[in-house]
Structures are given as C-alpha cells and as structure tokens.
Amino acid sequence: MNKKVIIGCFIATGLLQLPSVNAQVKVPFSTANKKVRVIVSDNEPGMRFKTTETLKFQDSPQPGETEVSVFVDPAKSFQTMLGIGGALTDASAETFYKLPKDKQKELLAAYYDKDKGIGYTLARTNIQSCDFSSDSYSYIKEGDGALKTFNISHDRAYRIPFIKEAMAAAGGKLTLFASPWSPPAFMKDNNSLLHGGKLLAKYYQSWANFYGKFIRAYENEGIPIWGLSVQNEPMASQSWESCKYTAEEQRDFVKNFLGPTLAKQGLSSKKLIVWDHNRDLLYQQASTILEDPAAAKYVWGIGFHWYETWTGAGQQFESLRRTHEAFPAKNLIFTEGCIEKFDFNKINDWSLGERYGLAMINDFNAGTVAWTDWNILLDENGGPNHVGNFCFAPVHADLRNGSLIYTSSYYYLGHFSKYIQPGARRVAAVASRDKLLTTAYLNPNGKLSVIVMNQTDEKIEYSLWIKGKAAKTTSQPHSIATLVVE
C-alpha cells in the first residue's frame, strides 16, 4: 500500500487530523531579532517612565547559582488580562469639575490616553451614594418599594458627564462595573443607609429589581454597564453607606432573586461579581457561594479588596491562590484598593506606589484577571467624603491653586496598565532571588512585557533569561521597571 493510501485511511478513520484551511498555527515566542526596551520609574528626579537602555540578548545556556535572574517562559500561559483602571466616584467627578479646563484635559489624557498617559481600560462606579460622595442620597423616594420614583438625576450633575468624558478619552469604550454601598434606608432593618444593617427579606425582590433599573438608566444615558457586584464590603458595618450579608445570605439572594431577575430582564450578559470585600475571608465566601450550583451559574467572578491590613496583618495573597486553585472556572477581580488616612505631608512618599506594585504583582500571579484602583482623583484633603474617611488617590487636585499632583501610585499603576493590554496572557515568570518581584504578560500585538520591582535599598544586577538567551541589566533601589521585548 503506497503512502497516499495509508494517509487517506488515517484521515478517514479520524486518526490523523489535518488543520483546516483557516486554522491558525501558533508560532512559539522567540527572542531572535528582538531587543529589550527598559522603562524605569524610581524616586530620583526625572525618573518616571524613563527609557534607560535597550538590551540585546546573548547566549546563556545555564545561569550560575550566584547570578540573579528573572526567568520568563512565554510558552507557559495562564489567565487573560481583562483590564486595569480606577473608580469614577462622585468625589472624583466633583473634584474634576472644580479644576481649570486645561487641567481637566490633562487628567483625562494622563489616565486614558494610551501614548501620553497610562491607558486605563477598566472603571467602577457606585450605585447610589457611598462614602466618597458629598452627601447621602437614593434614587427613589422613601417607602417606594415599587420603584416608581426611580430617578438618577442626582448623577447627571457631575458623575454621568464625568464618566462620558472618561469614556471618550479612552477611545469611546470603558469596561465599567457598578457596586451598591447600601439599599434605600427603608429596605433595611436599621432604617438607615449607614452603619451596616441588613436588607429586609420582604424587599429582596424590590432590591433585585433596583439593579436592573440602574443598568437601564445608565445605558439610556449612553453608558454601557459591563457588570456589577452584589454589595460593596458585605461584612463591614461602616459609619458610611453599608449593608451586611453573610456568605449564605449573599448566595441565596443571588440564587433566588438577583440572578433570576437579571435573566428575566434580559440582563444575564452582565457579569455578576460576589464578595467585593477583603482577601482574608475570600475562600470562605467563595466556597459557600460557588459550591451551590444554582447560585454559581449566575456568578462571573469573585471581587476582593486589600484592606485586611486593618487587623494589623499583611496582605493575604494565599487566600487568592487557594481560591483560584479551587474554583478555576471563576474569575478573580480586584475591585477596590487605596491607601487610607490621607496626610498631605506624605503625598510624595515613594512607599505609596510600592504598596501598589507589591499587591498587583502578587494578585496577578495568583490568577487575578482585572485590577481596579479606588478614586482616580481626590482633592488636597483626600476627599470630598461626607464622613471624613479621607484617603489617597494616584492623582490629587490641589484646588487652592488648580494644580495636579501625581503620586508614586500613579506611576506604579502605569507600569502595568500602560504596557499590558486587555487580551494579554500572563506567562510564567519567576525571579531567582526574593529581592526582586516579577510578573509577565504576552500582549496581543506580540510584545512581551515583564515587570520587575525592587523594594530594597540595593542595586541588583540581573539577567532577563528566556530559553537560553539572556539580557543583562540592573534594578535600581526602590524602582519598578517594565522590560518590553519587541
């Protein structure tokens, strides 16, 4: 039997699969004819997104034990990047419109322009008031369980136009999700928007309907809502807008009310995020909700914050890793983080950004698909905030003189958002010494972005090593670098 007949027999039996005419063959990543552009930010004057050198790869078949290396393997890929961004709150919007027009334009470019700025693609906003609003408010009148008085006119003053300007600056599209801080006061057992309290069972359906009303209202304004979380910080009884749910209560609300209601209203495509609170209880919450298939089918992902440090503990990255291992089909999304206890005297501290870099590298390496900072803009007092809960933002407006102050957090965030595109795949990356932190992504355009962070007081010589090829460089003290292989 000749070769053509043998191959024909294998094809006919399905033992040999030939690629279709339109099939795309994945080409392995190669360092051949590629260089490494090194972009650095550190605490030295002028060192912000500074291209410091262009490296060439050299043969390096086996690094020595005394050498420091960052090993990257583009053939081993993990989660896909959804986006990086920040929250468009009442406080940010109100502050924005107090700035001179030229500074408004500067801020939008700084965040959303892919070339001049850091290319944010993700955003969050609040449903009704939150602590970063100038006052407490609701979209309905007291006692209106039927939602007949639903009206978002409050948001049309500042927040809706601000979101539209951000969308335009981002090229016409932002992946936007929304979160409630509290149901209307009459729907809760403490009859208050503030101080926790619980949603009364008789209003479960009314509150589920409320989410749909919000989505429709915003989309009628020309603002698409990509997703929503069930409740901001459901384990906290705060002095500001808050509402408490146990994991079982949130599971049952999603399963019996919110999930089915969104489906009935034609909104099942909206991505539903549970938890939306700190990493420390993440696994317990995720397992309680997701081990119920009737609830899990409505859930796109698990949101988390970084404020578990209020207990005096560190950031609990192991909670993320265990949750991702146990529930790999669900997405991890960082939904909020900021540095608390605003102090204008610390606004130039480099350590502000280092906290972001530490969190982002560890969160991404644990499987996180998206990362959302808190307010993108606050004033020189860390507000406005109607309960005095003043915090840092990456950019502050000093309204005393109409200027913008860029903190180190802005630059650390930008080393990720500017060089890692939505659709990028995280690839294997590990440093041979714990003094360097690293993560890496292969972008849809074929460029490889490797983040290297140094929190120490030391200069550290190291090599970027990819499959027997190495490019040598030096990590400066207290620096973050993006190495773009192109």
mmCIF file of all heavy atoms in Angstrom, residues 349-382:
data_model
loop_
_atom_site.group_PDB
_atom_site.id
_atom_site.type_symbol
_atom_site.label_atom_id
_atom_site.label_comp_id
_atom_site.label_asym_id
_atom_site.label_seq_id
_atom_site.Cartn_x
_atom_site.Cartn_y
_atom_site.Cartn_z
ATOM 1 N N ASP A 349 5.503 60.538 49.193
ATOM 2 C CA ASP A 349 6.194 59.342 49.667
ATOM 3 C C ASP A 349 6.242 58.271 48.578
ATOM 4 O O ASP A 349 5.203 57.924 47.986
ATOM 5 C CB ASP A 349 5.487 58.764 50.904
ATOM 6 C CG ASP A 349 5.797 59.540 52.166
ATOM 7 O OD1 ASP A 349 6.416 60.624 52.070
ATOM 8 O OD2 ASP A 349 5.414 59.071 53.256
ATOM 9 N N TRP A 350 7.418 57.746 48.310
ATOM 10 C CA TRP A 350 7.569 56.699 47.298
ATOM 11 C C TRP A 350 6.916 55.387 47.728
ATOM 12 O O TRP A 350 6.493 54.575 46.907
ATOM 13 C CB TRP A 350 9.046 56.474 47.000
ATOM 14 C CG TRP A 350 9.262 55.733 45.724
ATOM 15 C CD1 TRP A 350 9.724 54.470 45.573
ATOM 16 C CD2 TRP A 350 9.025 56.223 44.403
ATOM 17 N NE1 TRP A 350 9.781 54.121 44.241
ATOM 18 C CE2 TRP A 350 9.356 55.199 43.505
ATOM 19 C CE3 TRP A 350 8.553 57.434 43.891
ATOM 20 C CZ2 TRP A 350 9.236 55.336 42.124
ATOM 21 C CZ3 TRP A 350 8.426 57.570 42.519
ATOM 22 C CH2 TRP A 350 8.763 56.533 41.653
ATOM 23 N N SER A 351 6.776 55.190 49.019
ATOM 24 C CA SER A 351 6.192 53.949 49.542
ATOM 25 C C SER A 351 4.726 53.780 49.132
ATOM 26 O O SER A 351 4.211 52.655 49.123
ATOM 27 C CB SER A 351 6.291 53.907 51.067
ATOM 28 O OG SER A 351 5.569 54.987 51.642
ATOM 29 N N LEU A 352 4.032 54.875 48.778
ATOM 30 C CA LEU A 352 2.649 54.755 48.326
ATOM 31 C C LEU A 352 2.579 53.844 47.106
ATOM 32 O O LEU A 352 1.750 52.939 47.023
ATOM 33 C CB LEU A 352 2.068 56.132 47.989
ATOM 34 C CG LEU A 352 2.005 57.180 49.097
ATOM 35 C CD1 LEU A 352 1.470 58.497 48.537
ATOM 36 C CD2 LEU A 352 1.160 56.712 50.265
ATOM 37 N N GLY A 353 3.445 54.094 46.150
ATOM 38 C CA GLY A 353 3.456 53.284 44.940
ATOM 39 C C GLY A 353 3.926 51.870 45.184
ATOM 40 O O GLY A 353 3.438 50.923 44.551
ATOM 41 N N GLU A 354 4.876 51.711 46.090
ATOM 42 C CA GLU A 354 5.401 50.364 46.339
ATOM 43 C C GLU A 354 4.331 49.434 46.871
ATOM 44 O O GLU A 354 4.340 48.225 46.583
ATOM 45 C CB GLU A 354 6.588 50.439 47.303
ATOM 46 C CG GLU A 354 7.809 51.062 46.654
ATOM 47 C CD GLU A 354 9.051 50.955 47.505
ATOM 48 O OE1 GLU A 354 8.943 51.096 48.738
ATOM 49 O OE2 GLU A 354 10.141 50.733 46.939
ATOM 50 N N ARG A 355 3.384 49.963 47.623
ATOM 51 C CA ARG A 355 2.299 49.098 48.079
ATOM 52 C C ARG A 355 1.471 48.599 46.887
ATOM 53 O O ARG A 355 1.021 47.469 46.859
ATOM 54 C CB ARG A 355 1.397 49.821 49.072
ATOM 55 C CG ARG A 355 0.268 48.909 49.547
ATOM 56 C CD ARG A 355 -0.492 49.429 50.734
ATOM 57 N NE ARG A 355 -1.594 48.542 51.068
ATOM 58 C CZ ARG A 355 -2.497 48.778 51.998
ATOM 59 N NH1 ARG A 355 -2.429 49.893 52.697
ATOM 60 N NH2 ARG A 355 -3.466 47.935 52.232
ATOM 61 N N TYR A 356 1.275 49.471 45.923
ATOM 62 C CA TYR A 356 0.542 49.058 44.718
ATOM 63 C C TYR A 356 1.310 47.978 43.955
ATOM 64 O O TYR A 356 0.746 46.968 43.525
ATOM 65 C CB TYR A 356 0.300 50.261 43.810
ATOM 66 C CG TYR A 356 -0.912 51.067 44.198
ATOM 67 C CD1 TYR A 356 -0.872 51.995 45.232
ATOM 68 C CD2 TYR A 356 -2.124 50.898 43.532
ATOM 69 C CE1 TYR A 356 -1.982 52.740 45.592
ATOM 70 C CE2 TYR A 356 -3.249 51.637 43.883
ATOM 71 C CZ TYR A 356 -3.173 52.551 44.920
ATOM 72 O OH TYR A 356 -4.289 53.270 45.273
ATOM 73 N N GLY A 357 2.594 48.204 43.742
ATOM 74 C CA GLY A 357 3.382 47.231 42.994
ATOM 75 C C GLY A 357 3.385 45.860 43.646
ATOM 76 O O GLY A 357 3.223 44.834 42.973
ATOM 77 N N LEU A 358 3.568 45.835 44.970
ATOM 78 C CA LEU A 358 3.550 44.568 45.710
ATOM 79 C C LEU A 358 2.232 43.843 45.520
ATOM 80 O O LEU A 358 2.194 42.634 45.249
ATOM 81 C CB LEU A 358 3.781 44.848 47.195
ATOM 82 C CG LEU A 358 3.624 43.658 48.146
ATOM 83 C CD1 LEU A 358 4.727 42.640 47.916
ATOM 84 C CD2 LEU A 358 3.622 44.115 49.602
ATOM 85 N N ALA A 359 1.127 44.583 45.650
ATOM 86 C CA ALA A 359 -0.194 43.964 45.539
ATOM 87 C C ALA A 359 -0.460 43.488 44.120
ATOM 88 O O ALA A 359 -0.940 42.365 43.899
ATOM 89 C CB ALA A 359 -1.273 44.955 45.983
ATOM 90 N N MET A 360 -0.165 44.322 43.145
ATOM 91 C CA MET A 360 -0.515 43.975 41.774
ATOM 92 C C MET A 360 0.252 42.763 41.275
ATOM 93 O O MET A 360 -0.325 41.854 40.652
ATOM 94 C CB MET A 360 -0.304 45.181 40.859
ATOM 95 C CG MET A 360 -1.235 46.342 41.182
ATOM 96 S SD MET A 360 -1.001 47.807 40.139
ATOM 97 C CE MET A 360 -1.915 47.308 38.676
ATOM 98 N N ILE A 361 1.543 42.707 41.551
ATOM 99 C CA ILE A 361 2.331 41.549 41.113
ATOM 100 C C ILE A 361 1.812 40.273 41.752
ATOM 101 O O ILE A 361 1.600 39.252 41.071
ATOM 102 C CB ILE A 361 3.822 41.765 41.425
ATOM 103 C CG1 ILE A 361 4.399 42.834 40.494
ATOM 104 C CG2 ILE A 361 4.606 40.457 41.286
ATOM 105 C CD1 ILE A 361 5.808 43.265 40.825
ATOM 106 N N ASN A 362 1.571 40.307 43.047
ATOM 107 C CA ASN A 362 1.081 39.106 43.731
ATOM 108 C C ASN A 362 -0.341 38.742 43.307
ATOM 109 O O ASN A 362 -0.665 37.558 43.144
ATOM 110 C CB ASN A 362 1.162 39.294 45.242
ATOM 111 C CG ASN A 362 2.552 39.054 45.777
ATOM 112 O OD1 ASN A 362 2.974 37.924 45.952
ATOM 113 N ND2 ASN A 362 3.282 40.133 46.023
ATOM 114 N N ASP A 363 -1.199 39.738 43.133
ATOM 115 C CA ASP A 363 -2.569 39.454 42.716
ATOM 116 C C ASP A 363 -2.600 38.830 41.318
ATOM 117 O O ASP A 363 -3.309 37.853 41.077
ATOM 118 C CB ASP A 363 -3.402 40.740 42.728
ATOM 119 C CG ASP A 363 -3.727 41.231 44.131
ATOM 120 O OD1 ASP A 363 -3.593 40.450 45.085
ATOM 121 O OD2 ASP A 363 -4.117 42.410 44.267
ATOM 122 N N PHE A 364 -1.836 39.390 40.402
ATOM 123 C CA PHE A 364 -1.813 38.838 39.048
ATOM 124 C C PHE A 364 -1.210 37.436 39.038
ATOM 125 O O PHE A 364 -1.724 36.527 38.365
ATOM 126 C CB PHE A 364 -1.049 39.760 38.096
ATOM 127 C CG PHE A 364 -1.784 41.037 37.776
ATOM 128 C CD1 PHE A 364 -1.122 42.255 37.766
ATOM 129 C CD2 PHE A 364 -3.139 41.028 37.475
ATOM 130 C CE1 PHE A 364 -1.787 43.436 37.461
ATOM 131 C CE2 PHE A 364 -3.826 42.208 37.181
ATOM 132 C CZ PHE A 364 -3.145 43.410 37.167
ATOM 133 N N ASN A 365 -0.143 37.237 39.785
ATOM 134 C CA ASN A 365 0.472 35.916 39.810
ATOM 135 C C ASN A 365 -0.423 34.864 40.456
ATOM 136 O O ASN A 365 -0.234 33.666 40.237
ATOM 137 C CB ASN A 365 1.818 35.970 40.527
ATOM 138 C CG ASN A 365 2.894 36.633 39.687
ATOM 139 O OD1 ASN A 365 2.733 36.798 38.474
ATOM 140 N ND2 ASN A 365 3.988 37.014 40.306
ATOM 141 N N ALA A 366 -1.419 35.309 41.235
ATOM 142 C CA ALA A 366 -2.370 34.382 41.854
ATOM 143 C C ALA A 366 -3.575 34.097 40.958
ATOM 144 O O ALA A 366 -4.447 33.319 41.329
ATOM 145 C CB ALA A 366 -2.844 34.930 43.195
ATOM 146 N N GLY A 367 -3.648 34.748 39.797
ATOM 147 C CA GLY A 367 -4.724 34.447 38.862
ATOM 148 C C GLY A 367 -5.716 35.555 38.610
ATOM 149 O O GLY A 367 -6.692 35.363 37.873
ATOM 150 N N THR A 368 -5.494 36.733 39.171
ATOM 151 C CA THR A 368 -6.420 37.856 39.007
ATOM 152 C C THR A 368 -6.463 38.329 37.553
ATOM 153 O O THR A 368 -5.414 38.483 36.921
ATOM 154 C CB THR A 368 -5.989 39.009 39.930
ATOM 155 O OG1 THR A 368 -6.065 38.550 41.287
ATOM 156 C CG2 THR A 368 -6.865 40.233 39.764
ATOM 157 N N VAL A 369 -7.679 38.581 37.044
ATOM 158 C CA VAL A 369 -7.832 38.963 35.631
ATOM 159 C C VAL A 369 -8.010 40.461 35.432
ATOM 160 O O VAL A 369 -7.917 40.947 34.299
ATOM 161 C CB VAL A 369 -9.016 38.222 34.969
ATOM 162 C CG1 VAL A 369 -8.863 36.719 35.093
ATOM 163 C CG2 VAL A 369 -10.360 38.678 35.535
ATOM 164 N N ALA A 370 -8.288 41.213 36.491
ATOM 165 C CA ALA A 370 -8.530 42.659 36.353
ATOM 166 C C ALA A 370 -8.228 43.330 37.684
ATOM 167 O O ALA A 370 -8.425 42.733 38.750
ATOM 168 C CB ALA A 370 -9.971 42.934 35.928
ATOM 169 N N TRP A 371 -7.816 44.608 37.610
ATOM 170 C CA TRP A 371 -7.387 45.306 38.831
ATOM 171 C C TRP A 371 -7.924 46.725 38.799
ATOM 172 O O TRP A 371 -7.631 47.494 37.881
ATOM 173 C CB TRP A 371 -5.862 45.317 38.910
ATOM 174 C CG TRP A 371 -5.306 45.233 40.291
ATOM 175 C CD1 TRP A 371 -4.958 44.112 40.973
ATOM 176 C CD2 TRP A 371 -5.011 46.329 41.178
ATOM 177 N NE1 TRP A 371 -4.464 44.429 42.221
ATOM 178 C CE2 TRP A 371 -4.487 45.778 42.369
ATOM 179 C CE3 TRP A 371 -5.145 47.709 41.069
ATOM 180 C CZ2 TRP A 371 -4.095 46.567 43.444
ATOM 181 C CZ3 TRP A 371 -4.763 48.504 42.150
ATOM 182 C CH2 TRP A 371 -4.237 47.927 43.320
ATOM 183 N N THR A 372 -8.726 47.075 39.823
ATOM 184 C CA THR A 372 -9.411 48.363 39.865
ATOM 185 C C THR A 372 -8.997 49.164 41.099
ATOM 186 O O THR A 372 -9.315 48.782 42.232
ATOM 187 C CB THR A 372 -10.942 48.178 39.929
ATOM 188 O OG1 THR A 372 -11.318 47.000 39.238
ATOM 189 C CG2 THR A 372 -11.648 49.384 39.356
ATOM 190 N N ASP A 373 -8.293 50.253 40.888
ATOM 191 C CA ASP A 373 -7.966 51.173 41.967
ATOM 192 C C ASP A 373 -9.243 51.878 42.426
ATOM 193 O O ASP A 373 -10.278 51.827 41.762
ATOM 194 C CB ASP A 373 -6.937 52.180 41.460
ATOM 195 C CG ASP A 373 -6.405 53.088 42.553
ATOM 196 O OD1 ASP A 373 -6.261 52.623 43.698
ATOM 197 O OD2 ASP A 373 -6.146 54.274 42.263
ATOM 198 N N TRP A 374 -9.193 52.563 43.560
ATOM 199 C CA TRP A 374 -10.338 53.303 44.062
ATOM 200 C C TRP A 374 -10.355 54.660 43.351
ATOM 201 O O TRP A 374 -10.066 54.730 42.169
ATOM 202 C CB TRP A 374 -10.259 53.359 45.585
ATOM 203 C CG TRP A 374 -11.450 53.817 46.372
ATOM 204 C CD1 TRP A 374 -11.398 54.378 47.615
ATOM 205 C CD2 TRP A 374 -12.862 53.759 46.038
ATOM 206 N NE1 TRP A 374 -12.670 54.681 48.066
ATOM 207 C CE2 TRP A 374 -13.577 54.313 47.121
ATOM 208 C CE3 TRP A 374 -13.563 53.322 44.927
ATOM 209 C CZ2 TRP A 374 -14.962 54.444 47.120
ATOM 210 C CZ3 TRP A 374 -14.950 53.434 44.915
ATOM 211 C CH2 TRP A 374 -15.639 53.984 46.004
ATOM 212 N N ASN A 375 -10.714 55.753 43.985
ATOM 213 C CA ASN A 375 -10.915 57.046 43.310
ATOM 214 C C ASN A 375 -9.747 57.426 42.399
ATOM 215 O O ASN A 375 -8.594 57.428 42.835
ATOM 216 C CB ASN A 375 -11.054 58.156 44.347
ATOM 217 C CG ASN A 375 -12.140 57.889 45.359
ATOM 218 O OD1 ASN A 375 -13.306 58.152 45.127
ATOM 219 N ND2 ASN A 375 -11.746 57.356 46.521
ATOM 220 N N ILE A 376 -10.054 57.813 41.149
ATOM 221 C CA ILE A 376 -8.950 58.223 40.274
ATOM 222 C C ILE A 376 -8.463 59.630 40.604
ATOM 223 O O ILE A 376 -7.347 60.000 40.254
ATOM 224 C CB ILE A 376 -9.314 58.125 38.779
ATOM 225 C CG1 ILE A 376 -10.330 59.185 38.358
ATOM 226 C CG2 ILE A 376 -9.794 56.733 38.413
ATOM 227 C CD1 ILE A 376 -10.433 59.339 36.856
ATOM 228 N N LEU A 377 -9.288 60.401 41.310
ATOM 229 C CA LEU A 377 -8.928 61.784 41.636
ATOM 230 C C LEU A 377 -9.595 62.189 42.942
ATOM 231 O O LEU A 377 -10.778 61.919 43.147
ATOM 232 C CB LEU A 377 -9.397 62.728 40.520
ATOM 233 C CG LEU A 377 -9.178 64.228 40.733
ATOM 234 C CD1 LEU A 377 -7.692 64.568 40.664
ATOM 235 C CD2 LEU A 377 -9.959 65.047 39.701
ATOM 236 N N LEU A 378 -8.826 62.823 43.826
ATOM 237 C CA LEU A 378 -9.369 63.432 45.049
ATOM 238 C C LEU A 378 -8.734 64.811 45.224
ATOM 239 O O LEU A 378 -7.763 65.147 44.539
ATOM 240 C CB LEU A 378 -9.097 62.542 46.269
ATOM 241 C CG LEU A 378 -9.830 61.185 46.296
ATOM 242 C CD1 LEU A 378 -9.345 60.329 47.453
ATOM 243 C CD2 LEU A 378 -11.337 61.367 46.348
ATOM 244 N N ASP A 379 -9.272 65.591 46.161
ATOM 245 C CA ASP A 379 -8.747 66.936 46.359
ATOM 246 C C ASP A 379 -7.577 66.936 47.341
ATOM 247 O O ASP A 379 -7.105 65.883 47.776
ATOM 248 C CB ASP A 379 -9.867 67.898 46.777
ATOM 249 C CG ASP A 379 -10.475 67.564 48.135
ATOM 250 O OD1 ASP A 379 -9.835 66.849 48.946
ATOM 251 O OD2 ASP A 379 -11.610 68.027 48.398
ATOM 252 N N GLU A 380 -7.122 68.133 47.706
ATOM 253 C CA GLU A 380 -5.943 68.261 48.574
ATOM 254 C C GLU A 380 -6.201 67.828 50.014
ATOM 255 O O GLU A 380 -5.260 67.757 50.823
ATOM 256 C CB GLU A 380 -5.429 69.710 48.554
ATOM 257 C CG GLU A 380 -6.322 70.720 49.266
ATOM 258 C CD GLU A 380 -7.474 71.245 48.418
ATOM 259 O OE1 GLU A 380 -7.709 70.714 47.316
ATOM 260 O OE2 GLU A 380 -8.143 72.203 48.880
ATOM 261 N N ASN A 381 -7.453 67.491 50.327
ATOM 262 C CA ASN A 381 -7.794 66.976 51.655
ATOM 263 C C ASN A 381 -8.055 65.463 51.648
ATOM 264 O O ASN A 381 -8.394 64.898 52.680
ATOM 265 C CB ASN A 381 -9.038 67.692 52.187
ATOM 266 C CG ASN A 381 -8.814 69.180 52.334
ATOM 267 O OD1 ASN A 381 -7.828 69.606 52.940
ATOM 268 N ND2 ASN A 381 -9.705 69.988 51.761
ATOM 269 N N GLY A 382 -7.943 64.844 50.475
ATOM 270 C CA GLY A 382 -8.251 63.414 50.370
ATOM 271 C C GLY A 382 -9.734 63.149 50.277
ATOM 272 O O GLY A 382 -10.201 62.064 50.634
#
